[in-house]
Amino acid sequence: MPVSLFVTCLVDQFHPEIGLGMVRVLERLGLTCDFPEAQTCCGQPAFNAGCPDEARRVARQFIRAFLNTEHIVAPSGSCVAFVKRHLPSLFGPGSDEHRDATAIAARVHEFSEFLVCVLGKNDVGAAFPHPVTYHDSCHLLRELGVKDEPRRLLGHVRGLELVEMPASDTCCGFGGVFSIKQPDISTAMGEDKLGNLRRSGVEYLVACDTGCLMHLRGLISRRGMKMKALHLAEILGGS
């Protein structure tokens, strides 16, 4: 089965190890991965900032890059949610661009959802002998309805103990442009999440969105905490 990788801006620019972990898992399962080199941003940041014209220009390039693909997989609930729920709305109904955007939206998948719901895999042969806790990112949970899939995958990692933290589904405060426009509120929400992380009593936080991880990693570093924040693909990409 050919899989086209939509690596997202944050993974490409800041955390390529997440994309590499995703590739290791997919290839371990016998899939062939390709990387459309023409891909750029999907348009989500401009769309969320209330700039549809700018989002539309970027989205056109995204559509061209992924037009002739079969399965598109990304390590980001927020980017996938945008492509699935909002990308077609940038173009007029009945237009070629709306048709192409709708077709792409139907075949894009978040990483954990693709593994569990498309491939039917809960065990990908990973090992991580540590207790971890899981953060439900907002777009993944609320727009895509993905909650159990990451937990199923973590539950089959050898040696891993999943410890549920209080309010795991509460926003961490990142919210993309929200963290830029409302930094004080964003930081306060992140501090609340750190309190719940401390109460979980574990050293590893796992999430499926790089934005959440960047936000929480920054707060963890500034507070001098020993906890490490990892993407699910980094856990599953081990052996």
Side-chain angles (χ1 to χ4, degrees), residues 22 25-26 29 72-77 80 108-124 134-137 140-141 144-154 206-209 231-233 236:
M22 184 170 66
V25 173
L26 295 173
L29 296 175
I72 306 165
V73 180
S76 168
V80 170
V108 66
H109 304 278
E110 185 273 331
F111 178 56
S112 71
E113 178 262 333
F114 180 73
L115 293 176
V116 174
C117 299
V118 179
L119 298 183
K121 298 290 186 180
N122 292 314
D123 189 343
V124 299
Y134 177 73
H135 163 65
D136 291 280
S137 57
L140 183 66
L141 176 64
L144 298 180
V146 174
K147 179 179 181 179
D148 295 335
E149 291 86 344
R151 290 174 169 84
R152 289 188 198 176
L153 292 161
L154 290 170
V206 181
C208 291
D209 265 281
H231 192 280
L232 177 67
L236 301 183

mmCIF file of all heavy atoms in Angstrom, residues 22 25-26 29 72-77 80 108-124 134-137 140-141 144-154 206-209 231-233 236:
data_model
loop_
_atom_site.group_PDB
_atom_site.id
_atom_site.type_symbol
_atom_site.label_atom_id
_atom_site.label_comp_id
_atom_site.label_asym_id
_atom_site.label_seq_id
_atom_site.Cartn_x
_atom_site.Cartn_y
_atom_site.Cartn_z
ATOM 1 N N MET A 22 7.515 8.161 12.282
ATOM 2 C CA MET A 22 6.331 7.730 11.541
ATOM 3 C C MET A 22 6.733 6.827 10.376
ATOM 4 O O MET A 22 6.103 5.791 10.141
ATOM 5 C CB MET A 22 5.572 8.957 11.054
ATOM 6 C CG MET A 22 4.271 8.653 10.343
ATOM 7 S SD MET A 22 3.250 10.122 10.014
ATOM 8 C CE MET A 22 4.302 10.992 8.841
ATOM 9 N N VAL A 25 7.686 3.279 11.518
ATOM 10 C CA VAL A 25 6.522 2.447 11.838
ATOM 11 C C VAL A 25 5.845 1.947 10.565
ATOM 12 O O VAL A 25 5.550 0.753 10.423
ATOM 13 C CB VAL A 25 5.518 3.234 12.697
ATOM 14 C CG1 VAL A 25 4.232 2.425 12.891
ATOM 15 C CG2 VAL A 25 6.118 3.578 14.052
ATOM 16 N N LEU A 26 5.603 2.835 9.624
ATOM 17 C CA LEU A 26 4.906 2.458 8.401
ATOM 18 C C LEU A 26 5.707 1.450 7.587
ATOM 19 O O LEU A 26 5.150 0.477 7.055
ATOM 20 C CB LEU A 26 4.611 3.707 7.575
ATOM 21 C CG LEU A 26 3.632 4.707 8.218
ATOM 22 C CD1 LEU A 26 3.551 5.980 7.380
ATOM 23 C CD2 LEU A 26 2.253 4.095 8.397
ATOM 24 N N LEU A 29 5.640 -1.998 8.962
ATOM 25 C CA LEU A 29 4.389 -2.687 8.661
ATOM 26 C C LEU A 29 4.281 -3.069 7.188
ATOM 27 O O LEU A 29 3.251 -3.577 6.746
ATOM 28 C CB LEU A 29 3.205 -1.804 9.062
ATOM 29 C CG LEU A 29 3.084 -1.511 10.563
ATOM 30 C CD1 LEU A 29 1.947 -0.535 10.823
ATOM 31 C CD2 LEU A 29 2.878 -2.794 11.367
ATOM 32 N N ILE A 72 -2.941 9.577 2.421
ATOM 33 C CA ILE A 72 -2.107 10.657 2.946
ATOM 34 C C ILE A 72 -2.111 10.541 4.463
ATOM 35 O O ILE A 72 -3.182 10.510 5.083
ATOM 36 C CB ILE A 72 -2.648 12.040 2.524
ATOM 37 C CG1 ILE A 72 -2.822 12.099 1.002
ATOM 38 C CG2 ILE A 72 -1.736 13.152 3.022
ATOM 39 C CD1 ILE A 72 -3.667 13.271 0.542
ATOM 40 N N VAL A 73 -0.931 10.483 5.068
ATOM 41 C CA VAL A 73 -0.834 10.294 6.521
ATOM 42 C C VAL A 73 0.006 11.418 7.116
ATOM 43 O O VAL A 73 1.081 11.745 6.596
ATOM 44 C CB VAL A 73 -0.207 8.925 6.867
ATOM 45 C CG1 VAL A 73 -0.127 8.747 8.382
ATOM 46 C CG2 VAL A 73 -1.034 7.804 6.249
ATOM 47 N N ALA A 74 -0.481 11.986 8.219
ATOM 48 C CA ALA A 74 0.211 13.099 8.872
ATOM 49 C C ALA A 74 0.256 12.884 10.382
ATOM 50 O O ALA A 74 -0.697 12.362 10.970
ATOM 51 C CB ALA A 74 -0.494 14.420 8.573
ATOM 52 N N PRO A 75 1.344 13.321 11.037
ATOM 53 C CA PRO A 75 1.462 13.190 12.493
ATOM 54 C C PRO A 75 0.890 14.405 13.220
ATOM 55 O O PRO A 75 1.502 14.934 14.137
ATOM 56 C CB PRO A 75 2.983 13.089 12.689
ATOM 57 C CG PRO A 75 3.535 13.973 11.616
ATOM 58 C CD PRO A 75 2.609 13.820 10.444
ATOM 59 N N SER A 76 -0.299 14.844 12.810
ATOM 60 C CA SER A 76 -0.878 16.053 13.393
ATOM 61 C C SER A 76 -2.391 16.047 13.263
ATOM 62 O O SER A 76 -2.921 16.106 12.144
ATOM 63 C CB SER A 76 -0.318 17.300 12.701
ATOM 64 O OG SER A 76 -1.060 18.447 13.059
ATOM 65 N N GLY A 77 -3.069 16.018 14.396
ATOM 66 C CA GLY A 77 -4.523 16.075 14.376
ATOM 67 C C GLY A 77 -5.047 17.399 13.861
ATOM 68 O O GLY A 77 -6.055 17.448 13.151
ATOM 69 N N VAL A 80 -4.639 17.650 9.949
ATOM 70 C CA VAL A 80 -5.584 16.741 9.311
ATOM 71 C C VAL A 80 -7.008 17.257 9.463
ATOM 72 O O VAL A 80 -7.811 17.194 8.518
ATOM 73 C CB VAL A 80 -5.443 15.318 9.894
ATOM 74 C CG1 VAL A 80 -6.589 14.420 9.425
ATOM 75 C CG2 VAL A 80 -4.105 14.710 9.490
ATOM 76 N N VAL A 108 -7.080 11.751 3.585
ATOM 77 C CA VAL A 108 -6.038 12.150 4.525
ATOM 78 C C VAL A 108 -6.358 11.579 5.900
ATOM 79 O O VAL A 108 -7.517 11.546 6.313
ATOM 80 C CB VAL A 108 -5.886 13.691 4.570
ATOM 81 C CG1 VAL A 108 -7.134 14.354 5.146
ATOM 82 C CG2 VAL A 108 -4.652 14.089 5.360
ATOM 83 N N HIS A 109 -5.341 11.110 6.603
ATOM 84 C CA HIS A 109 -5.535 10.445 7.895
ATOM 85 C C HIS A 109 -4.498 10.926 8.904
ATOM 86 O O HIS A 109 -3.327 11.110 8.557
ATOM 87 C CB HIS A 109 -5.393 8.923 7.764
ATOM 88 C CG HIS A 109 -6.306 8.296 6.760
ATOM 89 N ND1 HIS A 109 -7.608 7.982 7.048
ATOM 90 C CD2 HIS A 109 -6.097 7.949 5.456
ATOM 91 C CE1 HIS A 109 -8.169 7.440 5.971
ATOM 92 N NE2 HIS A 109 -7.271 7.417 4.999
ATOM 93 N N GLU A 110 -4.920 11.076 10.126
ATOM 94 C CA GLU A 110 -3.971 11.275 11.228
ATOM 95 C C GLU A 110 -3.289 9.939 11.497
ATOM 96 O O GLU A 110 -3.883 8.869 11.329
ATOM 97 C CB GLU A 110 -4.708 11.794 12.458
ATOM 98 C CG GLU A 110 -3.817 12.151 13.630
ATOM 99 C CD GLU A 110 -3.536 10.948 14.529
ATOM 100 O OE1 GLU A 110 -4.414 10.048 14.593
ATOM 101 O OE2 GLU A 110 -2.465 10.915 15.151
ATOM 102 N N PHE A 111 -2.049 9.977 11.928
ATOM 103 C CA PHE A 111 -1.189 8.802 12.063
ATOM 104 C C PHE A 111 -1.828 7.680 12.880
ATOM 105 O O PHE A 111 -1.916 6.533 12.414
ATOM 106 C CB PHE A 111 0.129 9.245 12.689
ATOM 107 C CG PHE A 111 1.123 8.161 12.957
ATOM 108 C CD1 PHE A 111 1.559 7.325 11.948
ATOM 109 C CD2 PHE A 111 1.647 7.986 14.236
ATOM 110 C CE1 PHE A 111 2.490 6.330 12.187
ATOM 111 C CE2 PHE A 111 2.577 7.006 14.493
ATOM 112 C CZ PHE A 111 2.994 6.169 13.470
ATOM 113 N N SER A 112 -2.267 7.956 14.100
ATOM 114 C CA SER A 112 -2.814 6.891 14.949
ATOM 115 C C SER A 112 -4.117 6.346 14.388
ATOM 116 O O SER A 112 -4.385 5.138 14.450
ATOM 117 C CB SER A 112 -3.019 7.392 16.387
ATOM 118 O OG SER A 112 -4.089 8.317 16.469
ATOM 119 N N GLU A 113 -4.937 7.212 13.827
ATOM 120 C CA GLU A 113 -6.206 6.777 13.231
ATOM 121 C C GLU A 113 -5.951 5.892 12.021
ATOM 122 O O GLU A 113 -6.657 4.906 11.787
ATOM 123 C CB GLU A 113 -7.026 8.019 12.857
ATOM 124 C CG GLU A 113 -8.357 7.728 12.188
ATOM 125 C CD GLU A 113 -8.284 7.846 10.677
ATOM 126 O OE1 GLU A 113 -7.437 8.610 10.174
ATOM 127 O OE2 GLU A 113 -9.077 7.166 9.996
ATOM 128 N N PHE A 114 -4.926 6.215 11.247
ATOM 129 C CA PHE A 114 -4.587 5.402 10.081
ATOM 130 C C PHE A 114 -4.145 4.005 10.514
ATOM 131 O O PHE A 114 -4.580 2.996 9.942
ATOM 132 C CB PHE A 114 -3.475 6.081 9.280
ATOM 133 C CG PHE A 114 -3.057 5.323 8.049
ATOM 134 C CD1 PHE A 114 -3.867 5.284 6.932
ATOM 135 C CD2 PHE A 114 -1.839 4.654 8.014
ATOM 136 C CE1 PHE A 114 -3.477 4.581 5.791
ATOM 137 C CE2 PHE A 114 -1.447 3.958 6.884
ATOM 138 C CZ PHE A 114 -2.273 3.916 5.766
ATOM 139 N N LEU A 115 -3.294 3.940 11.529
ATOM 140 C CA LEU A 115 -2.805 2.641 11.988
ATOM 141 C C LEU A 115 -3.940 1.753 12.482
ATOM 142 O O LEU A 115 -4.044 0.577 12.104
ATOM 143 C CB LEU A 115 -1.770 2.829 13.102
ATOM 144 C CG LEU A 115 -0.440 3.473 12.714
ATOM 145 C CD1 LEU A 115 0.415 3.680 13.958
ATOM 146 C CD2 LEU A 115 0.306 2.644 11.679
ATOM 147 N N VAL A 116 -4.802 2.308 13.317
ATOM 148 C CA VAL A 116 -5.830 1.493 13.974
ATOM 149 C C VAL A 116 -7.042 1.264 13.078
ATOM 150 O O VAL A 116 -7.530 0.140 12.938
ATOM 151 C CB VAL A 116 -6.261 2.154 15.306
ATOM 152 C CG1 VAL A 116 -7.431 1.392 15.926
ATOM 153 C CG2 VAL A 116 -5.086 2.201 16.275
ATOM 154 N N CYS A 117 -7.550 2.321 12.455
ATOM 155 C CA CYS A 117 -8.821 2.231 11.740
ATOM 156 C C CYS A 117 -8.673 1.816 10.277
ATOM 157 O O CYS A 117 -9.571 1.179 9.723
ATOM 158 C CB CYS A 117 -9.555 3.570 11.825
ATOM 159 S SG CYS A 117 -9.953 4.070 13.513
ATOM 160 N N VAL A 118 -7.576 2.181 9.638
ATOM 161 C CA VAL A 118 -7.382 1.810 8.234
ATOM 162 C C VAL A 118 -6.610 0.501 8.112
ATOM 163 O O VAL A 118 -7.023 -0.411 7.394
ATOM 164 C CB VAL A 118 -6.658 2.935 7.464
ATOM 165 C CG1 VAL A 118 -6.429 2.523 6.012
ATOM 166 C CG2 VAL A 118 -7.468 4.226 7.517
ATOM 167 N N LEU A 119 -5.497 0.409 8.848
ATOM 168 C CA LEU A 119 -4.677 -0.809 8.766
ATOM 169 C C LEU A 119 -5.128 -1.900 9.728
ATOM 170 O O LEU A 119 -4.749 -3.061 9.562
ATOM 171 C CB LEU A 119 -3.207 -0.466 9.047
ATOM 172 C CG LEU A 119 -2.520 0.495 8.096
ATOM 173 C CD1 LEU A 119 -1.053 0.667 8.494
ATOM 174 C CD2 LEU A 119 -2.622 0.025 6.656
ATOM 175 N N GLY A 120 -5.900 -1.529 10.751
ATOM 176 C CA GLY A 120 -6.340 -2.514 11.737
ATOM 177 C C GLY A 120 -5.227 -2.992 12.647
ATOM 178 O O GLY A 120 -5.243 -4.129 13.127
ATOM 179 N N LYS A 121 -4.252 -2.113 12.922
ATOM 180 C CA LYS A 121 -3.100 -2.476 13.731
ATOM 181 C C LYS A 121 -3.162 -1.777 15.092
ATOM 182 O O LYS A 121 -3.293 -0.562 15.182
ATOM 183 C CB LYS A 121 -1.801 -2.069 13.031
ATOM 184 C CG LYS A 121 -1.562 -2.756 11.696
ATOM 185 C CD LYS A 121 -1.244 -4.231 11.876
ATOM 186 C CE LYS A 121 -0.876 -4.861 10.550
ATOM 187 N NZ LYS A 121 -0.552 -6.306 10.692
ATOM 188 N N ASN A 122 -3.047 -2.549 16.154
ATOM 189 C CA ASN A 122 -2.882 -2.016 17.492
ATOM 190 C C ASN A 122 -1.462 -2.201 18.007
ATOM 191 O O ASN A 122 -0.971 -1.414 18.802
ATOM 192 C CB ASN A 122 -3.862 -2.682 18.468
ATOM 193 C CG ASN A 122 -5.303 -2.310 18.198
ATOM 194 O OD1 ASN A 122 -5.618 -1.143 17.989
ATOM 195 N ND2 ASN A 122 -6.184 -3.306 18.186
ATOM 196 N N ASP A 123 -0.820 -3.264 17.550
ATOM 197 C CA ASP A 123 0.548 -3.588 17.957
ATOM 198 C C ASP A 123 1.463 -3.398 16.765
ATOM 199 O O ASP A 123 1.333 -4.086 15.750
ATOM 200 C CB ASP A 123 0.608 -5.034 18.454
ATOM 201 C CG ASP A 123 1.940 -5.392 19.093
ATOM 202 O OD1 ASP A 123 2.925 -4.653 18.871
ATOM 203 O OD2 ASP A 123 1.995 -6.406 19.810
ATOM 204 N N VAL A 124 2.397 -2.458 16.873
ATOM 205 C CA VAL A 124 3.320 -2.191 15.758
ATOM 206 C C VAL A 124 4.738 -2.629 16.089
ATOM 207 O O VAL A 124 5.698 -2.224 15.437
ATOM 208 C CB VAL A 124 3.292 -0.700 15.364
ATOM 209 C CG1 VAL A 124 1.903 -0.287 14.897
ATOM 210 C CG2 VAL A 124 3.747 0.190 16.521
ATOM 211 N N TYR A 134 -0.861 10.534 28.702
ATOM 212 C CA TYR A 134 -1.258 10.976 27.361
ATOM 213 C C TYR A 134 -2.090 12.250 27.426
ATOM 214 O O TYR A 134 -2.992 12.381 28.251
ATOM 215 C CB TYR A 134 -2.053 9.877 26.663
ATOM 216 C CG TYR A 134 -2.560 10.261 25.294
ATOM 217 C CD1 TYR A 134 -1.687 10.351 24.214
ATOM 218 C CD2 TYR A 134 -3.903 10.555 25.088
ATOM 219 C CE1 TYR A 134 -2.146 10.726 22.956
ATOM 220 C CE2 TYR A 134 -4.370 10.927 23.828
ATOM 221 C CZ TYR A 134 -3.491 11.018 22.773
ATOM 222 O OH TYR A 134 -3.948 11.396 21.536
ATOM 223 N N HIS A 135 -1.765 13.195 26.527
ATOM 224 C CA HIS A 135 -2.518 14.446 26.400
ATOM 225 C C HIS A 135 -3.381 14.387 25.149
ATOM 226 O O HIS A 135 -2.875 14.186 24.039
ATOM 227 C CB HIS A 135 -1.542 15.632 26.315
ATOM 228 C CG HIS A 135 -2.163 16.884 25.779
ATOM 229 N ND1 HIS A 135 -3.168 17.558 26.435
ATOM 230 C CD2 HIS A 135 -1.913 17.594 24.639
ATOM 231 C CE1 HIS A 135 -3.511 18.622 25.734
ATOM 232 N NE2 HIS A 135 -2.768 18.660 24.636
ATOM 233 N N ASP A 136 -4.689 14.575 25.315
ATOM 234 C CA ASP A 136 -5.611 14.633 24.177
ATOM 235 C C ASP A 136 -5.578 16.030 23.580
ATOM 236 O O ASP A 136 -6.031 16.989 24.208
ATOM 237 C CB ASP A 136 -7.040 14.323 24.632
ATOM 238 C CG ASP A 136 -7.230 12.888 25.054
ATOM 239 O OD1 ASP A 136 -7.381 12.040 24.164
ATOM 240 O OD2 ASP A 136 -7.230 12.621 26.269
ATOM 241 N N SER A 137 -5.057 16.168 22.383
ATOM 242 C CA SER A 137 -5.044 17.479 21.737
ATOM 243 C C SER A 137 -6.439 17.807 21.200
ATOM 244 O O SER A 137 -7.214 16.922 20.835
ATOM 245 C CB SER A 137 -4.002 17.522 20.615
ATOM 246 O OG SER A 137 -4.245 16.514 19.669
ATOM 247 N N LEU A 140 -7.605 16.896 17.393
ATOM 248 C CA LEU A 140 -7.642 15.447 17.225
ATOM 249 C C LEU A 140 -8.875 14.856 17.905
ATOM 250 O O LEU A 140 -9.583 14.024 17.331
ATOM 251 C CB LEU A 140 -6.370 14.826 17.801
ATOM 252 C CG LEU A 140 -6.208 13.313 17.639
ATOM 253 C CD1 LEU A 140 -6.045 12.940 16.179
ATOM 254 C CD2 LEU A 140 -5.027 12.799 18.448
ATOM 255 N N LEU A 141 -9.137 15.306 19.122
ATOM 256 C CA LEU A 141 -10.239 14.762 19.901
ATOM 257 C C LEU A 141 -11.584 15.309 19.439
ATOM 258 O O LEU A 141 -12.528 14.546 19.190
ATOM 259 C CB LEU A 141 -10.023 15.069 21.386
ATOM 260 C CG LEU A 141 -11.136 14.638 22.342
ATOM 261 C CD1 LEU A 141 -11.283 13.122 22.340
ATOM 262 C CD2 LEU A 141 -10.859 15.157 23.751
ATOM 263 N N LEU A 144 -11.827 15.423 15.008
ATOM 264 C CA LEU A 144 -11.675 14.124 14.359
ATOM 265 C C LEU A 144 -12.249 12.975 15.173
ATOM 266 O O LEU A 144 -12.421 11.876 14.650
ATOM 267 C CB LEU A 144 -10.196 13.852 14.065
ATOM 268 C CG LEU A 144 -9.509 14.827 13.111
ATOM 269 C CD1 LEU A 144 -8.045 14.432 12.918
ATOM 270 C CD2 LEU A 144 -10.225 14.903 11.772
ATOM 271 N N GLY A 145 -12.538 13.207 16.455
ATOM 272 C CA GLY A 145 -13.098 12.150 17.289
ATOM 273 C C GLY A 145 -12.127 11.030 17.603
ATOM 274 O O GLY A 145 -12.540 9.905 17.895
ATOM 275 N N VAL A 146 -10.829 11.332 17.558
ATOM 276 C CA VAL A 146 -9.807 10.314 17.828
ATOM 277 C C VAL A 146 -9.414 10.386 19.299
ATOM 278 O O VAL A 146 -8.789 11.347 19.738
ATOM 279 C CB VAL A 146 -8.568 10.524 16.929
ATOM 280 C CG1 VAL A 146 -7.456 9.549 17.322
ATOM 281 C CG2 VAL A 146 -8.944 10.335 15.466
ATOM 282 N N LYS A 147 -9.801 9.383 20.050
ATOM 283 C CA LYS A 147 -9.493 9.304 21.482
ATOM 284 C C LYS A 147 -8.887 7.961 21.859
ATOM 285 O O LYS A 147 -7.842 7.899 22.513
ATOM 286 C CB LYS A 147 -10.747 9.541 22.318
ATOM 287 C CG LYS A 147 -10.510 9.453 23.817
ATOM 288 C CD LYS A 147 -11.778 9.719 24.607
ATOM 289 C CE LYS A 147 -11.514 9.649 26.111
ATOM 290 N NZ LYS A 147 -12.736 9.932 26.895
ATOM 291 N N ASP A 148 -9.534 6.884 21.444
ATOM 292 C CA ASP A 148 -9.100 5.549 21.854
ATOM 293 C C ASP A 148 -7.902 5.047 21.052
ATOM 294 O O ASP A 148 -7.105 4.246 21.562
ATOM 295 C CB ASP A 148 -10.249 4.543 21.709
ATOM 296 C CG ASP A 148 -11.397 4.841 22.659
ATOM 297 O OD1 ASP A 148 -11.144 5.463 23.708
ATOM 298 O OD2 ASP A 148 -12.540 4.470 22.335
ATOM 299 N N GLU A 149 -7.769 5.491 19.810
ATOM 300 C CA GLU A 149 -6.736 4.949 18.931
ATOM 301 C C GLU A 149 -5.318 5.121 19.492
ATOM 302 O O GLU A 149 -4.552 4.138 19.535
ATOM 303 C CB GLU A 149 -6.843 5.579 17.538
ATOM 304 C CG GLU A 149 -8.075 5.155 16.762
ATOM 305 C CD GLU A 149 -9.307 5.991 17.072
ATOM 306 O OE1 GLU A 149 -9.299 6.697 18.106
ATOM 307 O OE2 GLU A 149 -10.272 5.941 16.296
ATOM 308 N N PRO A 150 -4.913 6.316 19.945
ATOM 309 C CA PRO A 150 -3.568 6.432 20.525
ATOM 310 C C PRO A 150 -3.396 5.566 21.767
ATOM 311 O O PRO A 150 -2.323 4.996 21.992
ATOM 312 C CB PRO A 150 -3.463 7.922 20.876
ATOM 313 C CG PRO A 150 -4.454 8.593 19.982
ATOM 314 C CD PRO A 150 -5.584 7.626 19.866
ATOM 315 N N ARG A 151 -4.441 5.454 22.550
ATOM 316 C CA ARG A 151 -4.369 4.651 23.774
ATOM 317 C C ARG A 151 -4.247 3.163 23.453
ATOM 318 O O ARG A 151 -3.554 2.426 24.159
ATOM 319 C CB ARG A 151 -5.587 4.925 24.653
ATOM 320 C CG ARG A 151 -5.580 6.319 25.279
ATOM 321 C CD ARG A 151 -6.875 6.608 26.029
ATOM 322 N NE ARG A 151 -6.760 7.814 26.837
ATOM 323 C CZ ARG A 151 -6.953 9.044 26.390
ATOM 324 N NH1 ARG A 151 -7.265 9.228 25.112
ATOM 325 N NH2 ARG A 151 -6.834 10.092 27.197
ATOM 326 N N ARG A 152 -4.930 2.713 22.419
ATOM 327 C CA ARG A 152 -4.784 1.312 22.008
ATOM 328 C C ARG A 152 -3.344 1.025 21.600
ATOM 329 O O ARG A 152 -2.771 -0.019 21.959
ATOM 330 C CB ARG A 152 -5.716 1.017 20.824
ATOM 331 C CG ARG A 152 -7.188 0.964 21.156
ATOM 332 C CD ARG A 152 -7.949 0.466 19.939
ATOM 333 N NE ARG A 152 -9.362 0.781 20.013
ATOM 334 C CZ ARG A 152 -10.227 0.530 19.048
ATOM 335 N NH1 ARG A 152 -9.809 -0.021 17.914
ATOM 336 N NH2 ARG A 152 -11.488 0.846 19.181
ATOM 337 N N LEU A 153 -2.776 1.913 20.825
ATOM 338 C CA LEU A 153 -1.396 1.727 20.367
ATOM 339 C C LEU A 153 -0.418 1.737 21.538
ATOM 340 O O LEU A 153 0.477 0.894 21.619
ATOM 341 C CB LEU A 153 -1.041 2.821 19.359
ATOM 342 C CG LEU A 153 -1.786 2.732 18.021
ATOM 343 C CD1 LEU A 153 -1.735 4.059 17.283
ATOM 344 C CD2 LEU A 153 -1.197 1.619 17.155
ATOM 345 N N LEU A 154 -0.589 2.674 22.456
ATOM 346 C CA LEU A 154 0.277 2.731 23.632
ATOM 347 C C LEU A 154 0.098 1.488 24.497
ATOM 348 O O LEU A 154 1.067 0.985 25.091
ATOM 349 C CB LEU A 154 -0.020 3.987 24.452
ATOM 350 C CG LEU A 154 0.395 5.320 23.814
ATOM 351 C CD1 LEU A 154 -0.171 6.493 24.616
ATOM 352 C CD2 LEU A 154 1.916 5.422 23.719
ATOM 353 N N VAL A 206 3.031 11.958 26.346
ATOM 354 C CA VAL A 206 2.869 11.593 24.947
ATOM 355 C C VAL A 206 1.686 12.359 24.375
ATOM 356 O O VAL A 206 0.642 12.486 25.023
ATOM 357 C CB VAL A 206 2.639 10.071 24.772
ATOM 358 C CG1 VAL A 206 2.486 9.721 23.301
ATOM 359 C CG2 VAL A 206 3.794 9.291 25.378
ATOM 360 N N ALA A 207 1.847 12.878 23.165
ATOM 361 C CA ALA A 207 0.770 13.567 22.454
ATOM 362 C C ALA A 207 0.899 13.282 20.965
ATOM 363 O O ALA A 207 1.902 12.725 20.511
ATOM 364 C CB ALA A 207 0.807 15.065 22.732
ATOM 365 N N CYS A 208 -0.126 13.688 20.207
ATOM 366 C CA CYS A 208 -0.138 13.431 18.766
ATOM 367 C C CYS A 208 -0.086 14.705 17.940
ATOM 368 O O CYS A 208 -0.275 14.650 16.723
ATOM 369 C CB CYS A 208 -1.398 12.637 18.394
ATOM 370 S SG CYS A 208 -1.417 10.941 19.008
ATOM 371 N N ASP A 209 0.161 15.843 18.579
ATOM 372 C CA ASP A 209 0.259 17.112 17.859
ATOM 373 C C ASP A 209 1.533 17.834 18.246
ATOM 374 O O ASP A 209 1.787 18.082 19.432
ATOM 375 C CB ASP A 209 -0.947 17.993 18.148
ATOM 376 C CG ASP A 209 -2.029 17.848 17.099
ATOM 377 O OD1 ASP A 209 -1.875 18.457 16.017
ATOM 378 O OD2 ASP A 209 -3.009 17.124 17.342
ATOM 379 N N HIS A 231 6.259 12.703 20.900
ATOM 380 C CA HIS A 231 5.166 12.398 19.991
ATOM 381 C C HIS A 231 4.940 10.890 19.968
ATOM 382 O O HIS A 231 5.873 10.102 20.153
ATOM 383 C CB HIS A 231 5.499 12.901 18.588
ATOM 384 C CG HIS A 231 4.335 12.898 17.657
ATOM 385 N ND1 HIS A 231 3.886 11.751 17.021
ATOM 386 C CD2 HIS A 231 3.526 13.906 17.231
ATOM 387 C CE1 HIS A 231 2.859 12.052 16.254
ATOM 388 N NE2 HIS A 231 2.605 13.348 16.364
ATOM 389 N N LEU A 232 3.701 10.483 19.726
ATOM 390 C CA LEU A 232 3.385 9.056 19.647
ATOM 391 C C LEU A 232 4.288 8.346 18.638
ATOM 392 O O LEU A 232 4.700 7.206 18.869
ATOM 393 C CB LEU A 232 1.915 8.891 19.251
ATOM 394 C CG LEU A 232 1.435 7.457 19.054
ATOM 395 C CD1 LEU A 232 1.438 6.698 20.382
ATOM 396 C CD2 LEU A 232 0.045 7.448 18.424
ATOM 397 N N ALA A 233 4.610 9.018 17.533
ATOM 398 C CA ALA A 233 5.445 8.380 16.506
ATOM 399 C C ALA A 233 6.840 8.086 17.018
ATOM 400 O O ALA A 233 7.484 7.120 16.571
ATOM 401 C CB ALA A 233 5.529 9.277 15.268
ATOM 402 N N LEU A 236 6.371 4.822 19.116
ATOM 403 C CA LEU A 236 6.110 3.664 18.265
ATOM 404 C C LEU A 236 7.250 3.373 17.309
ATOM 405 O O LEU A 236 7.407 2.246 16.844
ATOM 406 C CB LEU A 236 4.820 3.864 17.468
ATOM 407 C CG LEU A 236 3.534 4.093 18.269
ATOM 408 C CD1 LEU A 236 2.353 4.190 17.324
ATOM 409 C CD2 LEU A 236 3.310 2.992 19.296
#
